[in-house]
């Protein structure tokens, strides 16, 4: 006896159509805000000449980390410029930064709520599991339906795919704060806000930054996938090279993504660690 198929797919499509019909103006507003953020960051990155921006990033790398990181920044970014991929790389970086900023703005407060409420954490955990295990390509479908083609659905899909580590590690970092310190803060009459901002968040910051680092890396991993729905940038070069079987062009674009990934990874890892000399 064959049981009838559960119309799960049709139910999802009905919800999608209902949201599009009744919440269209909200999606248009979100589209305008995110599109404006990406355009603004892209314009800021391209405002200065490539060499000047390279030197500024190298100076930041030296201040945060070591001279080796600064040297890698100079050589890597000059290589990207030499390959003719500076503009597309800045477009991809604008997408990644927009998605990461929004993921952090949304994810850190949700992580705080998880840490303060066991019920909220129990509700959020299976949702985060679902978000992390669902194939990233699936997120492109509703994103395109709600926001059309282009960079905005790519940002939305990146946020959904990349936000769980920020939420999880913010929750973990706050929960790992010593109960004795929390009790001492309560004994001195600290308010909930004072206890959060002056005790728990500062102590949890290295763990939170680890989550933000993972979020940035996951956002960067969506660059090529987002190019499938019209997002421009170096990911589009990789996708075009794959579809046309151009190994050399694909390798060049892939190197550009690797350089950006290493820079973002190292800079965010070192941001809240003591500066070392050498």
């Amino acid at each position: 006896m064959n049981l009838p198929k559960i119309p799960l797919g049709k139910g999802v499509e009905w919800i999608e159509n209902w949201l599009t019909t009744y919440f269209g103006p909200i999606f248009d507003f979100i589209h305008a805000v995110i599109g404006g953020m990406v355009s603004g960051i892209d314009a800021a990155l391209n405002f200065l000449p490539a060499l000047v921006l390279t030197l500024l990033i190298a100076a930041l790398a030296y201040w945060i980390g070591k001279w080796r990181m600064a040297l890698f920044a100079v050589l890597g970014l000059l290589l990207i410029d030499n390959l003719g991929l500076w503009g597309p790389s800045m477009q991809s970086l604008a997408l990644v930064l927009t998605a990461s900023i929004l993921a952090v703005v949304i994810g850190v407060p949700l992580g705080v709520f998880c840490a303060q409420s066991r019920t909220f954490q129990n509700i959020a955990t299976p949702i985060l599991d679902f978000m992390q295990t669902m194939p990233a390509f699936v997120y492109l479908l509703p994103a395109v339906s709600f926001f059309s083609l282009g960079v905005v659905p790519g940002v939305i899909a990146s946020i959904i795919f990349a936000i769980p580590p920020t939420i999880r590690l913010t929750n973990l970092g706050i929960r790992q704060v010593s109960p004795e310190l929390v009790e001492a803060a309560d004994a001195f009459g600290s308010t909930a806000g004072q206890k959060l901002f002056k005790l728990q968040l500062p102590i949890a910051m290295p763990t939170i930054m680890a989550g933000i680092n993972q979020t940035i890396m996951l956002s960067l991993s969506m660059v090529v996938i987002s190019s499938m729905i019209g997002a421009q940038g170096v990911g589009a070069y990789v996708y075009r090279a794959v579809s046309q079987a151009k190994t050399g062009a694909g390798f060049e674009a892939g190197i550009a993504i690797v350089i950006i990934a290493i820079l973002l990874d190292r800079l965010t890892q070192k941001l809240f660690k003591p500066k070392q000399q050498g």
Side-chain angles (χ1 to χ4, degrees), residues 15-135:
I15 294 174
E16 177 185 316
N17 293 331
W18 184 81
L19 290 173
T20 304
T21 302
Y22 293 100
F23 293 90
I26 296 177
F27 293 138
D28 292 339
F29 175 75
I30 295 174
H31 187 284
V33 171
I34 294 179
M37 284 186 64
V38 175
S39 299
I41 294 176
D42 186 28
L45 292 173
N46 286 286
F47 177 75
L48 295 174
L51 181 58
V52 176
L53 185 58
T54 296
L55 293 177
L56 290 176
I57 294 175
L60 176 64
Y62 179 78
W63 179 69
I64 292 177
K66 302 179 180 180
W67 67 267
R68 295 183 184 88
M69 188 188 303
L71 180 61
F72 175 82
V74 171
L75 295 178
L77 294 175
L78 288 179
L79 176 60
I80 291 175
D81 189 34
N82 178 263
L83 294 175
L85 295 172
W86 183 267
S89 296
M90 295 303 103
Q91 288 179 317
S92 295
L93 184 57
L95 186 155
V96 171
L97 291 178
T98 301
S100 300
I101 290 170
L102 293 175
V104 170
V105 169
I106 298 170
V108 171
L110 290 178
V112 172
F113 290 148
C114 286
Q116 295 180 341
S117 171
R118 178 70 65 177
T119 301
F120 187 82
Q121 177 184 263
N122 292 337
I123 295 173
T125 297
I127 297 175
L128 295 176
D129 293 339
F130 177 86
M131 292 167 64
Q132 286 188 295
T133 54
M134 176 66 71

Side-chain angles (χ1 to χ4, degrees), residues 187-264:
F188 280 102
S190 299
T191 64
Q194 291 174 331
K195 184 167 60 177
L196 175 64
F197 289 103
K198 294 185 178 182
L199 174 66
Q200 293 172 312
L201 286 179
I203 294 177
M205 190 56 66
T207 304
I208 295 174
M209 284 305 302
I212 292 175
N213 174 268
Q214 292 184 29
T215 290
I216 294 173
M217 292 299 101
L218 290 174
S219 298
L220 190 57
S221 71
M222 290 290 290
V223 164
V224 178
I225 297 175
S226 299
S227 67
M228 300 176 62
I229 54 174
Q232 298 302 308
V234 72
Y237 282 70
V238 175
Y239 179 64
R240 194 177 304 121
V242 171
S243 61
Q244 298 175 359
K246 294 184 176 180
T247 306
F251 183 80
E252 291 178 351
I255 284 294
I257 294 176
V258 169
I259 291 170
I260 295 173
I262 293 175
L263 281 175
L264 291 175

